[in-house]
Amino acid sequence: MEKAKYSYKYPHPSVTTDCVIFGFDGSRLKVLLVERGVEPFKGKWALPGGFLRMDESAEQGALRELQEETGLKTAYIKQFHTFTDPDRDPRERVITIAYYALVRLQDVVAGDDAARAGWFSLDEVPSLAFDHDRILRTAIQEIRRQIHFEPVGFELLPPEFTVKELQLLYEAILDVKFDRRNFYKKMQHLELLTQVKTSAQERRQPFLFRFNAAKYSELKQKGFRLEF
Amino acid sequence: MEKAKYSYKYPHPSVTTDCVIFGFDGSRLKVLLVERGVEPFKGKWALPGGFLRMDESAEQGALRELQEETGLKTAYIKQFHTFTDPDRDPRERVITIAYYALVRLQDVVAGDDAARAGWFSLDEVPSLAFDHDRILRTAIQEIRRQIHFEPVGFELLPPEFTVKELQLLYEAILDVKFDRRNFYKKMQHLELLTQVKTSAQERRQPFLFRFNAAKYSELKQKGFRLEF
DNA sequence: TCAAAAGTGTTCGCTATACACCCATGG
DNA sequence: CCATGGGTGTATAGCGAACACTTTTGA
């Protein structure tokens, strides 16, 4: 068997990374899916992913996948679960280390992969290949949990944004509604936002803000909680 | 090469599960460690763990490790992170799927493994083999986070316990102090505890409680938060 | 007899929540 | 001129934190 160059005394599973890439279009949370070009599940939509290389960590692998699909070299990514069901891949034993990524849609460029790719609203996601439905559901759960401890929302917005945009994002992620005025005051009180000075503001426009990273890391050290 | 029976076209990493087993002795949080009997790191303390079998999920593997070390067939276990640094094992590429387990110390029986094992208080843990120091630190972080969403504490206590014991446990996990009276009232208010009726209570003893699982699942569905 | 432990109460301040008001803009 | 959107204000209820009181137990 010429091709099988790597031999082990005991069987080893294959290891992949899968990446749940989230974006925000201004009103809804989106997820990036790719269409499978090969069997199994050929023609079905799936999460971007691939085999882990022997010289890279799983995080590096996930970042590599991310760049292949979105052109982004950096992004917020977080490992959230490893899926190990022995039968999750019909071909052979494959375990996958799953990450979710938060990207700014406007920064994304079309992937150079041949595979067809597309952004789907969370309530329009089709049935996915392998156990990717479950992986996606778990990712949504995790991002909803994470949002209480970290301002994950900011990773999905452009550098400058209005409070209304931020609120829409939080509502999209958590699938709830907030009172506009209370949300505004809470953000003011947290002091996480810095108002952008717009010198020549002829027309009355909503204030633009930036995320105050210094204040955030200070709060995080003390152990804060974003209540919603 | 007779021994190497399993061959692949591409290199595959080894996959192990490691288990951070927590117990509570009434005043301090403990973790179970085993002494390595073989190189590398022979003689050093490490987390219990082992290779993943091809026919079991990682969770089953972690439960198997748990039983080998503690005799427990069931316990609360939770996967919290997968460690994939290419150099984390000096022999070959090994990734490990890490779980933490919460067990009742009084239910634990000595492991039948030859390896020496011992319970260590968190502030007395020696330097560990591989990257297990980091794994343990991450586990502690995760349990502290998890305690806000799930009453993980109850898994560490006997079926019946006093409020004081519960408070000591929370204080040990979170490394904080609570006001005894406020803690008591909070627990009363949450209605998570059911008082055990002790018929012949001649002497004045602290009330014994049981964890009210029904109330908990009801609360969890609504999305509750244990604030501390 | 006295200190420690355990159950119960009270007060204060913060904040989540609900809802009102004012002003500028643009049709 | 008026509907809409955006910034600011106010009142209330609930809860967390701080702290007092009382009783029982065992040394």
Side-chain angles (χ1 to χ4, degrees):
Chain A
M1 213 172 147
E2 201 70 48
K3 283 178 175 176
K5 292 183 293 189
Y6 299 93
S7 300
Y8 306 95
K9 188 174 172 184
Y10 299 104
H12 286 199
S14 283
V15 178
T16 62
T17 60
D18 284 318
C19 215
V20 183
I21 304 172
F22 288 112
F24 182 64
D25 71 353
S27 63
R28 319 187 75 165
L29 200 60
K30 304 274 195 176
V31 61
L32 184 66
L33 300 174
V34 296
E35 196 176 6
R36 284 185 61 81
V38 296
E39 294 292 349
F41 300 105
K42 184 173 178 178
K44 269 216 160 190
W45 292 93
L47 297 169
F51 288 98
L52 182 67
R53 296 186 182 160
M54 290 301 272
D55 58 349
E56 70 184 0
S57 68
E59 179 164 324
Q60 288 164 347
L63 282 170
R64 182 169 51 76
E65 297 296 335
L66 180 74
Q67 188 179 359
E68 286 169 8
E69 296 299 333
T70 66
L72 299 173
K73 282 199 177 62
T74 64
Y76 177 96
I77 68 165
K78 185 167 172 59
Q79 182 193 310
F80 65 93
H81 199 74
T82 298
F83 295 85
T84 62
D85 183 339
D87 304 317
R88 56 177 297 283
D89 191 308
R91 296 164 295 185
E92 57 168 338
R93 181 81 196 264
V94 180
I95 70 172
T96 193
I97 306 169
Y99 286 76
Y100 67 80
L102 306 178
V103 304
R104 300 187 172 116
L105 279 183
Q106 63 271 24
D107 295 344
V108 172
V109 298
D112 47 357
D113 270 19
R116 200 151 65 96
W119 290 94
F120 291 79
S121 287
L122 289 192
D123 51 3
E124 295 166 354
V125 170
S127 151
L128 303 180
F130 303 105
D131 56 351
H132 288 192
D133 294 311
R134 184 182 161 212
I135 296 177
L136 175 58
R137 277 200 311 276
T138 308
I140 295 168
Q141 271 177 248
E142 282 304 312
I143 195 179
R144 281 183 182 160
R145 169 186 302 218
Q146 190 67 12
I147 207 173
H148 293 286
F149 296 94
E150 290 193 38
V152 292
F154 300 101
E155 311 288 342
L156 292 155
L157 290 173
E160 300 186 353
F161 49 87
T162 66
V163 176
K164 182 179 182 61
E165 290 171 328
L166 184 61
Q167 180 180 346
L168 284 170
L169 172 59
Y170 269 78
E171 291 180 341
I173 292 178
L174 294 172
D175 195 27
V176 290
K177 291 286 175 196
F178 299 114
D179 181 277
R180 172 183 67 88
R181 299 154 289 187
N182 291 335
F183 188 87
Y184 199 100
K185 270 180 304 179
K186 186 193 293 264
M187 281 299 147
Q188 266 184 166
H189 183 256
L190 283 173
E191 296 181 314
L192 274 169
L193 305 184
T194 307
Q195 193 171 330
V196 176
K197 286 172 189 58
T198 52
S199 51
Q201 190 167 346
E202 298 180 7
R203 315 201 160 199
R204 196 195 189 191
Q205 291 289 87
F207 296 153
L208 285 175
F209 292 89
R210 285 178 168 279
F211 173 49
N212 185 338
K215 184 72 184 179
Y216 166 65
S217 52
E218 176 202 325
L219 281 178
K220 190 174 179 190
Q221 211 164 17
K222 288 189 199 163
F224 84 117
R225 304 270 294 282
L226 281 171
E227 303 281 344
F228 283 107
Chain B
M1 210 171 152
E2 200 71 48
K3 283 179 176 175
K5 293 182 292 189
Y6 299 93
S7 300
Y8 306 95
K9 188 173 172 186
Y10 299 103
H12 287 199
S14 284
V15 178
T16 61
T17 61
D18 284 319
C19 214
V20 183
I21 304 172
F22 289 112
F24 181 63
D25 70 354
S27 64
R28 319 188 76 165
L29 200 60
K30 303 274 194 173
V31 60
L32 183 66
L33 301 174
V34 295
E35 196 175 6
R36 284 186 60 81
V38 297
E39 293 293 347
F41 299 105
K42 183 173 178 177
K44 268 216 161 190
W45 293 92
L47 298 169
F51 289 98
L52 182 66
R53 297 184 181 162
M54 290 302 271
D55 59 349
E56 69 184 1
S57 68
E59 180 164 322
Q60 288 164 347
L63 282 170
R64 181 169 52 76
E65 296 295 335
L66 180 74
Q67 187 179 358
E68 286 170 8
E69 296 299 334
T70 66
L72 298 173
K73 283 197 176 63
T74 65
Y76 177 97
I77 68 166
K78 186 167 171 59
Q79 182 192 311
F80 65 93
H81 199 74
T82 298
F83 296 84
T84 62
D85 184 339
D87 304 315
R88 55 177 298 282
D89 190 308
R91 297 164 293 184
E92 58 168 338
R93 181 81 196 264
V94 180
I95 70 172
T96 193
I97 306 170
Y99 285 76
Y100 66 80
L102 306 178
V103 303
R104 300 188 171 114
L105 279 184
Q106 63 271 23
D107 295 345
V108 172
V109 298
D112 46 359
D113 270 20
R116 199 150 67 95
W119 291 94
F120 291 78
S121 286
L122 289 190
D123 51 2
E124 296 166 353
V125 170
S127 151
L128 302 180
F130 303 105
D131 56 353
H132 289 192
D133 293 311
R134 185 182 160 212
I135 296 178
L136 175 59
R137 276 201 311 275
T138 308
I140 295 168
Q141 272 178 246
E142 283 302 313
I143 196 179
R144 281 181 182 163
R145 170 183 301 217
Q146 190 68 12
I147 208 172
H148 293 285
F149 296 94
E150 291 193 37
V152 291
F154 299 101
E155 311 288 342
L156 292 155
L157 290 173
E160 301 185 353
F161 49 86
T162 66
V163 175
K164 183 178 181 61
E165 289 171 329
L166 183 62
Q167 178 180 348
L168 284 170
L169 171 59
Y170 269 77
E171 291 180 341
I173 292 177
L174 293 172
D175 195 26
V176 291
K177 291 287 175 194
F178 298 114
D179 181 277
R180 172 184 67 88
R181 299 154 289 188
N182 291 336
F183 187 88
Y184 199 99
K185 270 181 301 178
K186 186 193 293 263
M187 282 299 146
Q188 266 185 166
H189 183 256
L190 283 173
E191 297 181 313
L192 273 170
L193 305 184
T194 307
Q195 193 171 330
V196 175
K197 287 171 189 58
T198 51
S199 51
Q201 191 166 346
E202 300 180 6
R203 316 201 158 198
R204 195 191 191 198
Q205 290 290 90
F207 296 152
L208 286 176
F209 291 89
R210 285 179 168 278
F211 173 49
N212 186 338
K215 184 72 185 178
Y216 166 65
S217 53
E218 176 201 327
L219 280 177
K220 189 174 181 188
Q221 211 165 15
K222 288 189 199 164
F224 84 117
R225 302 271 295 280
L226 282 171
E227 302 282 345
F228 284 107

